[in-house]
mmCIF file of all heavy atoms in Angstrom:
data_model
loop_
_atom_site.group_PDB
_atom_site.id
_atom_site.type_symbol
_atom_site.label_atom_id
_atom_site.label_comp_id
_atom_site.label_asym_id
_atom_site.label_seq_id
_atom_site.Cartn_x
_atom_site.Cartn_y
_atom_site.Cartn_z
ATOM 1 N N GLU A 262 7.863 -0.374 -12.768
ATOM 2 C CA GLU A 262 8.578 -1.336 -11.917
ATOM 3 C C GLU A 262 7.512 -2.265 -11.285
ATOM 4 O O GLU A 262 6.376 -1.852 -11.062
ATOM 5 C CB GLU A 262 9.324 -0.619 -10.793
ATOM 6 C CG GLU A 262 10.352 0.384 -11.262
ATOM 7 C CD GLU A 262 10.893 1.207 -10.083
ATOM 8 O OE1 GLU A 262 11.275 0.616 -9.069
ATOM 9 O OE2 GLU A 262 10.878 2.445 -10.230
ATOM 10 N N THR A 263 7.917 -3.488 -10.986
ATOM 11 C CA THR A 263 6.967 -4.441 -10.377
ATOM 12 C C THR A 263 6.587 -3.974 -8.999
ATOM 13 O O THR A 263 7.447 -3.832 -8.115
ATOM 14 C CB THR A 263 7.624 -5.838 -10.313
ATOM 15 O OG1 THR A 263 7.992 -6.230 -11.640
ATOM 16 C CG2 THR A 263 6.646 -6.844 -9.760
ATOM 17 N N VAL A 264 5.289 -3.764 -8.789
ATOM 18 C CA VAL A 264 4.813 -3.273 -7.480
ATOM 19 C C VAL A 264 4.599 -4.479 -6.565
ATOM 20 O O VAL A 264 3.940 -5.461 -6.960
ATOM 21 C CB VAL A 264 3.493 -2.457 -7.664
ATOM 22 C CG1 VAL A 264 2.953 -2.054 -6.317
ATOM 23 C CG2 VAL A 264 3.756 -1.242 -8.546
ATOM 24 N N LEU A 265 5.152 -4.439 -5.380
ATOM 25 C CA LEU A 265 5.051 -5.571 -4.438
ATOM 26 C C LEU A 265 4.014 -5.357 -3.340
ATOM 27 O O LEU A 265 3.563 -6.307 -2.738
ATOM 28 C CB LEU A 265 6.424 -5.841 -3.815
ATOM 29 C CG LEU A 265 7.528 -6.283 -4.772
ATOM 30 C CD1 LEU A 265 8.816 -6.547 -3.995
ATOM 31 C CD2 LEU A 265 7.122 -7.555 -5.508
ATOM 32 N N SER A 266 3.698 -4.101 -3.012
ATOM 33 C CA SER A 266 2.697 -3.879 -1.930
ATOM 34 C C SER A 266 1.947 -2.595 -2.166
ATOM 35 O O SER A 266 2.480 -1.620 -2.738
ATOM 36 C CB SER A 266 3.388 -3.859 -0.551
ATOM 37 O OG SER A 266 4.208 -2.755 -0.432
ATOM 38 N N THR A 283 5.090 0.145 -2.930
ATOM 39 C CA THR A 283 6.547 -0.097 -2.934
ATOM 40 C C THR A 283 6.837 -1.045 -4.102
ATOM 41 O O THR A 283 5.998 -1.863 -4.467
ATOM 42 C CB THR A 283 7.027 -0.738 -1.630
ATOM 43 O OG1 THR A 283 6.332 -1.978 -1.422
ATOM 44 C CG2 THR A 283 6.747 0.166 -0.442
ATOM 45 N N THR A 284 8.067 -0.934 -4.658
ATOM 46 C CA THR A 284 8.403 -1.724 -5.850
ATOM 47 C C THR A 284 9.579 -2.613 -5.587
ATOM 48 O O THR A 284 10.281 -2.482 -4.577
ATOM 49 C CB THR A 284 8.684 -0.823 -7.045
ATOM 50 O OG1 THR A 284 9.932 -0.133 -6.820
ATOM 51 C CG2 THR A 284 7.592 0.191 -7.281
ATOM 52 N N LEU A 285 9.840 -3.488 -6.541
ATOM 53 C CA LEU A 285 10.915 -4.481 -6.443
ATOM 54 C C LEU A 285 12.304 -3.827 -6.339
ATOM 55 O O LEU A 285 13.166 -4.369 -5.652
ATOM 56 C CB LEU A 285 10.863 -5.398 -7.673
ATOM 57 C CG LEU A 285 11.723 -6.632 -7.720
ATOM 58 C CD1 LEU A 285 11.314 -7.568 -6.594
ATOM 59 C CD2 LEU A 285 11.579 -7.321 -9.062
ATOM 60 N N SER A 286 12.482 -2.702 -6.964
ATOM 61 C CA SER A 286 13.803 -2.037 -6.935
ATOM 62 C C SER A 286 13.943 -1.048 -5.789
ATOM 63 O O SER A 286 14.917 -0.314 -5.729
ATOM 64 C CB SER A 286 14.066 -1.367 -8.270
ATOM 65 O OG SER A 286 13.054 -0.434 -8.568
ATOM 66 N N GLY A 287 12.934 -0.975 -4.898
ATOM 67 C CA GLY A 287 13.088 -0.154 -3.694
ATOM 68 C C GLY A 287 12.391 1.191 -3.725
ATOM 69 O O GLY A 287 12.539 1.979 -2.775
ATOM 70 N N THR A 288 11.655 1.474 -4.769
ATOM 71 C CA THR A 288 10.900 2.749 -4.840
ATOM 72 C C THR A 288 9.731 2.725 -3.875
ATOM 73 O O THR A 288 9.046 1.731 -3.763
ATOM 74 C CB THR A 288 10.388 2.975 -6.270
ATOM 75 O OG1 THR A 288 11.512 2.992 -7.178
ATOM 76 C CG2 THR A 288 9.638 4.289 -6.363
#
Side-chain angles (χ1 to χ4, degrees):
E262 302 170 50
T263 303
V264 176
L265 295 181
S266 67
T283 60
T284 70
L285 190 63
S286 57
T288 301

